[in-house]
């Protein structure tokens, strides 16, 4: 952490569970105190929902700060970009009279998702049958795999017609062979794809920048930067429930490599959690609710994926898992979302340890077999049984809600700075005055 810590200038905001924690609303709130809002990993697998009165805007690629006029938004080099999806989003924004010209910049080093990535994502999932990951099928994994394999095509490569032609030719020959030999899938036409992306080149050109340079200049001028994490720490390719993860570093470290910002310039890392836990897709989930409670909380919390519409799996708050996030990200502060969803429950449980084959686990294990068989050990607390949706101050929260939150703080050893009691901007309790 740098010496400028107290000013909280450069802030990384991460999901501290399995994604869908409600980061969109918090980024939107914190954007008011930032000059630049930067995405650093993932792609259009993300879905950040921001409520504007009765209007709900879901952003997949463009940073959530775009809804604030005058803020600069950056898509960093660690993001994988589906160009058509980006253009669709820009059009959706312009229909809402949100202009992105001159304030949205795309890294020239970011990798591009091509149609063969999407097809391979789908085919590989189908091939895995019951062992599937449950991906969003947006081509994210295959694109990151190509990046690591040195088979990727970056935005800057697209901008250079000669380089692009050569690389597309080489990469497509490999893809078509894999598609035919392994999946018996028809080949992609080089000419069609080349034509389509030559059009995209003109469309993306006004947004392309060396964003590392842009952010470096911004910090030198004292501008405040908010790094917008997508997905969550438990979906991080290194620290998540591998292999049931996404393909990028969704944890705070991703902000460093995904933008080129030095760690010495980061002042604060904020983790967002739900007051309970959810996950979409396959993979272990030790505190998952039994069916009846699951459907009750899913309906009350509107727990359906913002990108795929899939129903989310829901469960009790898992302190073991969240402590893992606190450690991996070095969280300074926590934001608790959707407290109101628990309003009607007479009893609440918090998982404090796992048991597996007679052994007690106090740290989140990496072994997938342990995670799949883990029996959660819970602490119980009485619920508050009144609505919190209209509450705006900590002191007005029911005593049992305060107790629940204080208990989370003591288990995580990190202060809670904001509590959210509904999707609207106003439904927010600021505990730490610096974000008001
Ligand atoms: P992929 O990122 O599409 O490869 O999907 C890998 C895993 O991450 C799957 O379990 C997805 O459901 C999950 N995932 C990807 N993006 C998100 C997100 O934004 N929120 C929640 N889960 C996600």
């Amino acid at each position: 952490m740098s010496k400028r810590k107290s000013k909280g200038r450069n802030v990384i905001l991460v999901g501290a569970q399995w994604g869908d924690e409600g980061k969109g609303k918090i980024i939107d709130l914190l954007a008011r105190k930032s000059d630049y809002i930067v995405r650093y990993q993932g792609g259009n697998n993300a879905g950040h929902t921001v409520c504007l009165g009765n209007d709900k805007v879901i952003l997949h690629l463009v940073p959530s700060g775009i809804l604030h006029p005058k803020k600069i938004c950056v898509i960093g080099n660690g993001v994988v970009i589906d160009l058509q999806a980006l253009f669709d989003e820009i059009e959706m924004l312009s229909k809402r009279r949100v202009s992105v010209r001159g304030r949205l910049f795309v890294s020239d080093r970011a990798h591009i998702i091509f149609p063969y990535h999407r097809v391979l994502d789908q085919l590989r999932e189908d091939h895995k049958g019951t062992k599937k990951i449950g991906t969003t099928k947006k081509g994210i994994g295959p694109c990151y795999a190509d990046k690591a394999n040195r088979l990727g095509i970056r935005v800057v490569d697209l901008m250079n017609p000669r380089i692009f032609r050569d690389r597309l030719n080489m990469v497509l020959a490999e893809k078509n062979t894999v598609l035919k030999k392994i999946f018996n899938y028809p080949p992609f036409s080089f000419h069609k794809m080349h034509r389509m992306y030559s059009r995209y080149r003109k469309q993306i050109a006004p947004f392309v920048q060396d964003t590392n340079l842009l952010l470096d200049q911004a910090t030198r001028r004292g501008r405040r930067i908010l790094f917008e994490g997508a997905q969550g720490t438990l979906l991080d390719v290194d620290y998540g429930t591998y292999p049931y993860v996404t393909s990028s570093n969704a944890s705070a470290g991703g902000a460093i490599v995904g933008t080129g910002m030095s760690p010495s310039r980061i002042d604060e890392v904020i983790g967002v959690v739900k007051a309970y836990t959810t996950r979409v897709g396959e993979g272990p989930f030790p505190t998952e609710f039994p069916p009846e409670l699951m459907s009750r909380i899913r309906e009350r919390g509107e727990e359906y994926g913002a990108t795929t519409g899939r129903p989310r799996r829901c469960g009790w708050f898992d302190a073991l898992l969240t402590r893992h996030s606190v450690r991996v990200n070095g969280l300074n502060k926590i934001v608790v979302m959707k407290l109101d969803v628990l309003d009607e429950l007479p009893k609440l449980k918090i998982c404090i340890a796992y048991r597996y084959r007679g052994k007690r686990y106090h740290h989140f294990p990496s072994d997938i077999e342990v995670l799949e068989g883990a029996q959660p050990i819970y602490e119980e607390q009485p619920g508050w049984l009144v609505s919190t949706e209209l509450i705006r101050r900590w002191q007005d929260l029911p005593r049992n809600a305060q107790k629940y939150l204080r208990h989370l703080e003591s288990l995580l050893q990190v202060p809670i700075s904001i509590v959210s009691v509904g999707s609207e901007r106003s439904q927010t309790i600021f505990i730490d005055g610096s974000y008001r």
Side-chain angles (χ1 to χ4, degrees), residues 322-342:
T322 318
R323 268 206 304 267
H324 172 73
S325 277
V326 169
R327 199 171 46 245
V328 165
N329 295 301
L331 299 183
N332 307 107
K333 285 173 183 170
I334 298 252
V335 174
V336 178
M337 308 299 292
K338 292 193 160 186
L339 184 75
D340 56 297
V341 175
L342 303 181

Side-chain angles (χ1 to χ4, degrees), residues 185-197:
Y185 192 88
F188 283 96
S189 148
F190 170 83
H191 294 292
K192 264 196 191 160
M193 203 173 287
H194 186 262
R195 250 201 323 275
M196 177 157 78
Y197 279 80

